[in-house]
Amino acid sequence: MDSTPEVGREGRGRRSITREDVMTAAEVAEMLGMPVSTVYELARRGELPSARLGRTVRFLRESVEERLRGE
């Protein structure tokens, strides 16, 4: 059984997650032009999808870009 995480949506091809697909809060803050604390608050409220990995929070680039486009 392959335990490699995958990204994608229903109907699209699935592929493995790469480092380029995952962003830190600082990277998201820079991309969205807002403070890092706001990124964490949006994640806490569920307005910006995120995942906790131990003590860190990570974001999928695709989700952040969708937010930029207003989707």
Side-chain angles (χ1 to χ4, degrees):
M1 180 174 180
D2 182 15
S3 63
T4 305
E6 296 178 341
V7 294
R9 298 210 184 265
E10 191 74 30
R12 292 186 189 170
R14 291 172 104 33
R15 61 182 175 79
S16 296
I17 294 176
T18 66
R19 170 62 184 107
E20 288 76 32
D21 295 324
V22 181
M23 301 176 73
T24 65
E27 291 169 333
V28 173
E30 184 177 335
M31 179 183 273
L32 298 179
M34 61 179 58
V36 174
S37 59
T38 302
V39 172
Y40 284 123
E41 179 63 20
L42 291 172
R44 187 188 67 74
R45 292 189 300 205
E47 295 178 32
L48 191 59
S50 63
R52 288 196 67 73
L53 301 172
R55 293 172 50 189
T56 65
V57 178
R58 294 293 184 257
F59 303 84
L60 288 178
R61 182 174 302 277
E62 182 177 338
S63 298
V64 175
E65 290 173 348
E66 285 174 359
R67 181 173 172 85
L68 274 175
R69 291 189 301 265
E71 296 178 12

